[in-house]
Amino acid sequence: MVSESNAEGMMSPEPELKSVDLKEINENLDSIRRQLDELQKEQELEKTPDKLGWDDIAQELVGAITFALPFIFTSELWDVAKDISIERSFAIFLLTLGVAYIFIAKSRIGNLKHEDLFHVPKRLITVSLISYTISAGLIYLYGINDVANFSTLQYINATVIVSTFAVMGAIAVDMVT
């Protein structure tokens, strides 16, 4: 038997209802809620600033070594280390620390947590200690001080110059990763 609306050639305004399994819909909604919760947790973790940890120390070591190593083998650097005064070497040291401070404390590169030790950023302390130690160690390890015939003062100058690159490398690798 044909309904009156179909007999007249008109369609019924109500769509045809299918039987729907409410249990399946609820399961799908629960699954979607769980996925949304996981996405929110991941997003919150991404926004959380990175605290200074052993992974950061390792990254700083890699950056310092990678950026310092090529420079210890250049005779031009040896000549500069022999010719500059201790005052200029100290100025380079301060300039390097100043630029490092700006990168670490004031730039918005990376998602780093601001942690201080005696009003000095911890990352600046670790980057400096690692970079200057690595630079002095590499110069000694490869015997550059003997090859270039450095005096103690020239050895310090060479360490300061090489550390300029090591500090920037340590910061770059730490901030990028």
Side-chain angles (χ1 to χ4, degrees):
M1 180 169 190
V2 178
S3 68
E4 280 184 49
S5 61
N6 284 344
E8 296 173 357
M10 298 181 75
M11 294 181 57
S12 172
E14 298 177 19
E16 185 177 318
L17 296 176
K18 296 182 180 179
S19 65
V20 179
D21 187 7
L22 291 178
K23 183 178 178 183
E24 184 178 334
I25 290 174
N26 285 333
E27 287 174 1
N28 287 340
L29 285 174
D30 288 340
S31 173
I32 291 170
R33 282 187 196 114
R34 284 191 300 273
Q35 290 174 351
L36 281 174
D37 289 342
E38 288 175 17
L39 287 173
Q40 286 175 336
K41 287 177 186 175
E42 286 178 19
Q43 189 176 20
E44 288 173 9
L45 285 176
E46 287 177 7
K47 289 181 181 179
T48 304
D50 182 29
K51 289 179 72 173
L52 183 65
W54 289 109
D55 60 330
D56 298 305
I57 302 292
Q59 293 165 352
E60 291 170 4
L61 280 166
V62 168
I65 292 170
T66 304
F67 279 64
L69 202 55
F71 290 100
I72 67 169
F73 296 110
T74 62
S75 63
E76 292 85 359
L77 185 132
W78 306 345
D79 293 339
V80 170
K82 287 181 178 181
D83 291 340
I84 66 171
S85 66
I86 193 68
E87 292 83 14
R88 285 190 180 182
S89 184
F90 186 68
I92 292 169
F93 172 77
L94 292 177
L95 180 68
T96 302
L97 291 182
V99 170
Y101 174 78
I102 290 169
F103 268 108
I104 291 171
K106 301 300 180 186
S107 73
R108 297 288 177 219
I109 301 171
N111 189 18
L112 306 177
K113 184 173 182 176
H114 189 77
E115 302 170 277
D116 287 345
L117 182 66
F118 304 114
H119 304 290
V120 178
K122 283 184 181 179
R123 287 183 193 270
L124 180 61
I125 295 169
T126 60
V127 162
S128 300
L129 288 174
I130 288 170
S131 297
Y132 285 92
T133 304
I134 290 292
S135 297
L138 288 175
I139 291 170
Y140 178 78
L141 179 68
Y142 283 99
I144 302 300
N145 53 333
D146 295 331
V147 173
N149 296 318
F150 285 153
S151 67
T152 304
L153 182 62
Q154 292 168 341
Y155 185 85
I156 292 170
N157 289 344
T159 300
V160 168
I161 294 169
V162 171
S163 293
T164 300
F165 304 105
V167 165
M168 295 308 136
I171 291 170
V173 172
D174 188 24
M175 286 185 154
V176 170
T177 54

